Amino acid sequence: MSAVEGMETAHVDAHEHHHVSQNFWQKYIFCEDHKIIAKQYLITGIIWAVIGISMSVIFRIQLGLPDSNLSWLKPILGGWISETGKLDPNFYLALVTMHGTIMVFFVLTAGLSGTFSNFLIPLQIGARDMASGFMNMLSYWFFFLASIIMFGSLFLQTGPAAGGWVIYPPLSALPQAHPGSGAGMTLWLASMALFIVSQLLGGINYITTVINLRTRGMSFDRLPLTIWSFLITAVLGLISFPVLLSSVLLLIMDRHFGTSFYLSDIYINGEALPNVGGSPILFQHLFWFLGHPEVYIVLLPGLGITSEVIATNSRKPIFGYRAMIASMLGIAFLAFIVWAHHMFVTGMNPFLGSVFMFLTLIIAVPSAVKGFNYITTLWKGNIVFTPGMLFSIGLVSLFVSGGLTGIILGNSALDIQLHDTYFVVAHFHLVMGAASAFGLFAGVYHWFPKMFGRMMNPTLGQIHFWFTFIGIYLIFIPMHYVGIAGFPRRYYQFTSYDFTHKFMDMNMFISVAAIFSFLAQFIFLWNFFYSIFKGGRAPQNPWRSNTLEWTTPIVPGHGNWEGELPAVYRWSYDYSKPGAKEDFIPQNIPYSQTLESNFPHENELIATEKAIEAQNFNDQFNSH
């Protein structure tokens, strides 16, 4: 055995020895292993999703059945249900606020990106772990602390924050404005500050790991599209989240330290406040500079997961690999220069509005590239309809249908009429909320065998998909219609206006569809938790996929691979290659072993194989 091989063996032995010596707290709680941290993010995200969706069901009952008696909720909501069984209007606003906050940040940002960036980046690039395991652990525990604070705010006597998930001042800047602007808002701001720290720690780690810890042969043009999406998402978060942190800190100063960044000429009960010189519009600029990239922070990981799942289950190479990367880069760039399309009604200069309108409509081009490439990959493929594949196809459907209404809202003349109506609610729930959730489901179904070594029940997964897919469209397609009719969002009830009475039946229909979709999620919860303990044993590579995570042991231990790290010789989408013995060729198979299916330019790459292997040994030796 050479000295270099001995160093590698000693390195692996050291990993295994460290793994064995860990106690329960080090292995499962304060753990630095990226796979355990990914599971922590996933379980926490699932818990938050149940809470967040439950809130939406409560306020949908209020909207669809405004005269119903909600006394049965009194054991849960306590004093927020009156003696006559009515939901407190202030708490209704709090439910809307917390639902948006929980789903956007704690489920679709931390739950989706935190889970799959952590789990897949080291496994798919051929690394032992993240660049900094300690920073990775800190990232989760900052998120967990933010979760505890946010959850604690639900039990305040004055209620949680109630200024909408965008917490616009002056409502959020004045503790005396209404109950939801008091201690609940303070805890909301503290929680979000900790959440942002968590995301920054994670983002730095993801970027460093992808750039520095790729295994031998894993050039950027051989990275799976999942890794590209996680990398671009991390860059988006690293640039935009500090801006949100600054807006939060300025809001805390306005609330507690007498500053006037967002306040000016405010009167409460006829009394003039001393604040002068501030502007609430400043907060909107700062918030939406994060807020629009946030759309793609939650959506791009789902799109990356969809790319991998669709290619694998179509048994075809992804169509337009480089175009897919270019489209994600284009979306990321444009995401930073379109934020003011959320602010067309703030009185901005019409010329400036037209500039933002133009840039917003351009973002449809890279989005269309992704949509067409997904459809072309599916075209004439040998499609395997696994639950993960169904949710990936569902994501494409939601992405396209929700994106079409985005073109309407990107037009300033139309947006001024539709702003703050249910048309906007329907649009962003389709293209951002439901589409990203479908990406999360697709990822869970697809990589569950690698996470837990067991298989989820595919029949239950397919039932879960169809109930959810149909339910989502039954909720949000009618919601576009009532939005065009002028239904404003965030209203407690619509029985006070004559023009809304004719839509009460449709509102009730939307609420029934929402309850139906909520109940369908318990199919997933049962399937998920039951399968962790009782699911069938997973094979080594259940989906016959090409990426490196399927070359590890069925449930990889600390360090991921036993022995030396794998080498990479090809891209990750060699499916159904003419002449090949099987319909997939993993990335770690050299071209010298697949002469019967190589293209001419691939035969030329055989000469580079020894150099790739030698580079691997040199890199490992230097890293030790």
Side-chain angles (χ1 to χ4, degrees), residues 299-334:
L299 189 55
L300 282 178
L303 293 173
I305 288 168
T306 294
S307 300
E308 179 65 27
V309 175
I310 283 181
T312 299
N313 291 289
S314 295
R315 314 312 295 167
K316 282 180 62 180
I318 193 76
F319 183 86
Y321 173 81
R322 286 182 171 82
M324 294 289 259
I325 297 170
S327 66
M328 285 192 285
L329 292 170
I331 287 171
F333 172 73
L334 290 170

Side-chain angles (χ1 to χ4, degrees), residues 363-374:
I363 212 167
V365 176
S367 300
V369 169
K370 295 196 73 65
F372 285 124
N373 283 8
Y374 288 136

Side-chain angles (χ1 to χ4, degrees), residues 44-204:
T44 309
I46 288 173
I47 293 170
W48 270 124
V50 172
I51 295 171
I53 299 174
S54 299
M55 291 178 172
S56 69
V57 169
I58 294 172
F59 63 68
R60 274 314 319 180
I61 292 173
Q62 167 61 36
L63 289 171
L65 304 163
D67 298 324
S68 60
N69 189 315
L70 300 181
S71 297
W72 57 277
L73 284 172
K74 201 169 182 63
I76 301 174
L77 301 183
W80 299 113
I81 301 293
S82 70
E83 294 301 323
T84 58
K86 300 300 180 185
L87 183 69
D88 185 278
N90 284 320
F91 192 67
Y92 171 85
L93 295 175
L95 287 174
V96 173
T97 301
M98 296 301 288
H99 165 75
T101 302
I102 288 167
M103 299 305 294
V104 171
F105 294 113
F106 288 9
V107 177
L108 297 178
T109 301
L112 176 54
S113 182
T115 297
F116 291 104
S117 295
N118 268 299
F119 190 76
L120 292 178
I121 286 176
L123 288 172
Q124 290 196 336
I125 69 171
R128 296 287 181 198
D129 208 316
M130 285 291 181
S132 172
F134 180 72
M135 186 183 292
N136 207 18
M137 179 190 72
L138 281 183
S139 173
Y140 172 74
W141 285 105
F142 269 106
F143 167 56
F144 185 81
L145 184 57
S147 297
I148 293 297
I149 294 173
M150 191 69 75
F151 185 71
S153 72
L154 298 174
F155 300 95
L156 292 173
Q157 184 176 359
T158 54
W165 78 275
V166 294
I167 58 163
Y168 284 168
L171 191 62
S172 60
L174 298 169
Q176 67 271 41
H178 76 129
S181 295
M185 185 64 69
T186 300
L187 291 182
W188 191 99
L189 294 169
S191 175
M192 286 307 301
L194 293 171
F195 175 82
I196 293 166
V197 172
S198 162
Q199 294 305 298
L200 294 178
L201 289 171
I204 293 169

Side-chain angles (χ1 to χ4, degrees), residues 160-241:
W165 78 275
V166 294
I167 58 163
Y168 284 168
L171 191 62
S172 60
L174 298 169
Q176 67 271 41
H178 76 129
S181 295
M185 185 64 69
T186 300
L187 291 182
W188 191 99
L189 294 169
S191 175
M192 286 307 301
L194 293 171
F195 175 82
I196 293 166
V197 172
S198 162
Q199 294 305 298
L200 294 178
L201 289 171
I204 293 169
N205 221 358
Y206 305 151
I207 295 167
T208 306
T209 304
V210 172
I211 292 175
N212 291 334
L213 296 185
R214 287 169 288 123
T215 189
R216 62 208 191 276
M218 182 62 86
S219 55
F220 275 98
D221 62 353
R222 289 175 177 169
L223 287 174
L225 289 173
T226 41
I227 303 302
W228 273 106
S229 69
F230 300 149
L231 176 63
I232 294 170
T233 298
V235 173
L236 281 172
L238 206 60
I239 296 172
S240 59
F241 270 117

Side-chain angles (χ1 to χ4, degrees), residues 292 296 329-339 359 362-364 366:
H292 199 77
Y296 299 103
L329 292 170
I331 287 171
F333 172 73
L334 290 170
F336 284 110
I337 54 176
V338 298
W339 78 89
L359 294 171
I362 286 178
I363 212 167

Side-chain angles (χ1 to χ4, degrees), residues 387 390-391 445 458-469 520 523:
L390 289 173
F391 274 101
Y445 281 112
T459 303
L460 288 179
Q462 291 166 350
I463 295 171
H464 172 226
F465 166 75
W466 286 112
F467 282 1
T468 305
F469 183 74
I523 301 172

Side-chain angles (χ1 to χ4, degrees), residues 593-610:
Q593 296 181 17
T594 58
L595 296 175
E596 68 281 353
S597 63
N598 288 350
F599 297 123
H601 73 278
E602 293 173 339
N603 286 323
E604 299 172 5
L605 296 174
I606 294 175
T608 66
E609 290 175 4
K610 290 184 179 179

